[in-house]
Amino acid sequence: MTGDYAVIALYIAGMLGVGWYGLRLAKTKSDYLVAGRRLGWFMYSGTMSAVVLGGASTVGGVKLGYTYGISGMWLVVSIGVGILVLHALFARRLVRLKVYTVGEMLDLRYGGRTSAVSGVVMWGYTLMLTVTSTLAFATIFKVLFDLPNWAGIVIGGSIVVLYSVLGGMWSITLTDIAQFVIKTIGILAILLPVAISSAGGFSGMSEKLDASFFSFTSIGTDTIITYFVIYTFGLLIGQDIWQRVFTARTPAIATSGGITSGVYCLVYGLAGALIGTAAHALYPDIASAQDAFATIVERLLPTGVRGLVLAAALSAMMSTASGALIACSTTTTSDLLTKLGLKKGGELRRNRIATLVLGLLAIGIAMIVDDVVNALTIAYDILVGGLLVAIVGALFWRRGTRQGAYASMVAGTLSVIAFMIIDGVDANTPIYWGLGASLVVYLAVSFATPRTSDAILSVWTHRLTGADPALSRESAPEPAPPGHFHVKVPLSENQE
């Protein structure tokens, strides 16, 4: 294993070095949270691919392939479709808004007082997403050093927390590009062809496996539909994804780079399912499908190459964990702490502290959670059931009101949680009950309450054109007291 140790050590040293370099780039809140909104096409596409394809997509994708065959691809495919739809329909609008969080967008559209509730829901989602990728570190370090799960989680999680705290989105972006390249080489260029070849090719696998392993629907039609409802919709509205959209230099870069990323995700999903299928053909008696990825890497690949593929898996986990962590930190500081009356100033330091505290919390939770797919399902169920209706309504239905959005978020979230308790975390029903309750309440309350004022909608429309945020706010001032008049003084982003 000496060669593997050397490769992993170089990889970890490289990630920490890039994180340290990112410290020099993160000078402002914009730098720390959205990389200064300066990413070009390649960096945008690579980092978007890296953040959505994490431990659940890699270890979990191979696990599903081991259990269900080709049909195990649908979880990751549904993620890829979400990325495609997001960038085809929404990305240009989101870049023009120049906000930092989903909650800020909702406040802008509905006139305030919604980001506290949306922030709580988004906080829970991003924290659990951080946990899923942190949990997956245990698999890699178990193969490398035969460490117990908790030790692997602490080592991998600490590395992510360190470089995320140092440079924020700049460190995460730079490490994600490196991780994207390593992941592409390790998973697609090395492990996929080696696994299929070792299993005797497609003909060899078909001789050893039941025909259901080559059916696209063996995982169950209801499960496939639920994956699309949870993950495709979830990718449309997640803070971790939106925060990456906000890093694009222009709306056109976001659209083209995101569509490229979506196609990459589709390929990655099929690759994971095929690797899992090959693993079942080669090693049908693995005690836990969760170990399928680690087993095929450990037994098939020579030293050095094995280290590179394990580094690729680490890359997948670290990129998603870091992206979710910075999203959770942003939601905490921008949507939640501000509601407690914290004054502006010292925002960069505050974000670093929040990132550190939340990273340590995620490591702690990961040590008591034992299934990456279930943890991811919890995160997406709460996100989609609680926020999808209010967000889509904000973007497409002018009759939607603040009261309707607020009520729908509460109703959807509580319904999801209730049916997780009643039917189980892995049941398909919680997301449907949550969406149904959210939609009914949103429509009923919106129709029962006064329309959103023209002044608020005017500012919203103005921002969607890409106008300067300061000028947009100034375009709809509060009524002046008698005997006074307004003087508009446009602010620069730094003065703001």
Side-chain angles (χ1 to χ4, degrees):
M1 297 286 286
T2 303
D4 299 329
Y5 295 156
V7 171
I8 295 296
L10 286 173
Y11 167 76
I12 291 174
M15 294 303 99
L16 294 177
V18 170
W20 183 260
Y21 180 72
L23 177 64
R24 301 170 56 187
L25 299 176
K27 303 296 186 183
T28 67
K29 175 183 175 182
S30 178
D31 291 333
Y32 192 84
L33 298 183
V34 290
R37 308 187 196 272
R38 299 205 300 268
L39 297 193
W41 178 84
F42 175 73
M43 293 190 75
Y44 181 89
S45 179
T47 57
M48 183 61 72
S49 301
V51 73
V52 298
L53 298 174
S57 298
T58 304
V59 176
V62 173
K63 169 189 172 181
L64 292 173
Y66 186 87
T67 306
Y68 301 104
I70 297 297
S71 189
M73 73 178 187
W74 288 113
L75 185 150
V76 181
V77 166
S78 66
I79 291 173
V81 171
I83 292 296
L84 289 171
V85 174
L86 171 69
H87 288 87
L89 300 181
F90 301 147
R92 289 177 179 268
R93 291 185 174 195
L94 300 181
V95 173
R96 293 189 188 109
L97 287 173
K98 294 189 183 302
V99 294
Y100 290 103
T101 69
V102 174
E104 288 180 14
M105 184 279 287
L106 291 173
D107 277 355
L108 182 66
R109 163 60 181 82
Y110 291 115
R113 299 184 183 179
T114 57
S115 60
V117 176
S118 65
V120 170
V121 175
M122 195 64 73
W123 184 88
Y125 157 73
T126 51
L127 181 64
M128 287 305 297
L129 193 57
T130 307
V131 168
T132 61
S133 290
T134 304
L135 172 64
F137 292 133
T139 302
I140 305 304
F141 287 101
K142 181 178 181 181
V143 172
L144 282 172
F145 307 113
D146 196 26
L147 293 175
N149 285 352
W150 70 266
I153 289 168
V154 170
I155 293 171
S158 298
I159 295 167
V160 169
V161 171
L162 181 56
Y163 74 69
S164 299
V165 169
L166 287 174
M169 187 60 81
W170 266 122
S171 288
I172 293 169
T173 296
L174 296 173
T175 54
D176 277 359
I177 288 297
Q179 290 163 350
F180 170 72
V181 173
I182 294 170
K183 181 163 49 181
T184 301
I185 295 172
I187 303 299
L188 299 185
I190 295 178
L191 185 58
L192 175 62
V194 169
I196 293 175
S197 175
S198 299
F202 289 101
S203 59
M205 289 191 290
S206 63
E207 292 174 2
K208 299 174 184 176
L209 299 173
D210 186 82
S212 64
F213 277 80
F214 301 93
S215 167
F216 285 99
T217 59
S218 62
I219 198 171
T221 304
D222 57 336
T223 299
I224 295 171
I225 293 172
T226 301
Y227 280 159
F228 278 93
V229 171
I230 294 175
Y231 299 116
T232 300
F233 286 156
L235 265 293
L236 295 181
I237 60 176
Q239 171 66 28
D240 55 318
I241 309 304
W242 279 32
Q243 200 158 337
R244 295 308 177 100
V245 174
F246 300 151
T247 65
R249 188 166 62 240
T250 66
I253 286 173
T255 301
S256 60
I259 290 175
T260 302
S261 173
V263 172
Y264 180 89
C265 292
L266 301 182
V267 174
Y268 198 89
L270 178 59
L274 288 173
I275 292 168
T277 304
H280 199 114
L282 291 165
Y283 315 111
D285 299 322
I286 296 175
S288 171
Q290 185 85 1
D291 296 329
F293 177 85
T295 300
I296 197 169
V297 170
E298 183 180 17
R299 298 183 184 180
L300 278 188
L301 302 178
T303 184
V305 175
R306 180 170 53 221
L308 179 60
V309 173
L310 291 174
L314 274 177
S315 296
M317 298 165 195
M318 288 186 175
S319 57
T320 299
S322 58
L325 178 57
I326 196 69
C328 191
S329 172
T330 306
T331 298
T332 302
T333 55
S334 298
D335 290 343
L336 301 180
L337 293 182
T338 54
K339 294 298 183 291
L340 299 177
L342 293 181
K343 297 180 180 179
K344 288 190 175 182
E347 291 171 307
L348 185 57
R349 178 173 177 271
R350 188 181 302 162
N351 274 286
R352 282 199 169 100
I353 293 173
T355 303
L356 174 61
V357 172
L358 292 167
L360 296 176
L361 177 62
I363 291 172
I365 295 174
M367 288 192 284
I368 60 175
V369 176
D370 61 1
D371 191 300
V372 292
V373 174
N374 274 352
L376 194 67
T377 299
I378 293 172
Y380 275 95
D381 275 358
I382 293 173
L383 172 71
V384 175
L387 297 186
L388 178 69
V389 171
I391 292 173
V392 173
L395 293 170
F396 294 104
W397 194 44
R398 291 176 69 87
R399 183 63 182 84
T401 66
R402 181 177 68 243
Q403 295 89 338
Y406 188 97
S408 76
M409 288 188 281
V410 173
T413 301
L414 293 179
S415 296
V416 166
I417 294 172
F419 279 93
M420 279 185 180
I421 296 171
I422 295 170
D423 296 337
V425 169
D426 57 350
N428 293 334
T429 51
I431 185 61
Y432 296 111
W433 281 107
L435 280 174
S438 181
L439 179 60
V440 169
V441 170
Y442 181 70
L443 293 174
V445 176
S446 290
F447 280 122
T449 52
R451 293 175 179 269
T452 304
S453 72
D454 290 339
I456 291 171
L457 291 177
S458 176
V459 173
W460 167 255
T461 303
H462 197 49
R463 285 284 287 275
L464 283 177
T465 66
D468 180 80
L471 295 177
S472 296
R473 283 195 297 272
E474 292 294 328
S475 67
E478 294 296 327
H484 293 74
F485 57 90
H486 287 289
V487 178
K488 297 182 181 180
V489 182
L491 303 174
S492 68
E493 185 173 353
N494 288 335
Q495 288 173 318
E496 189 182 2

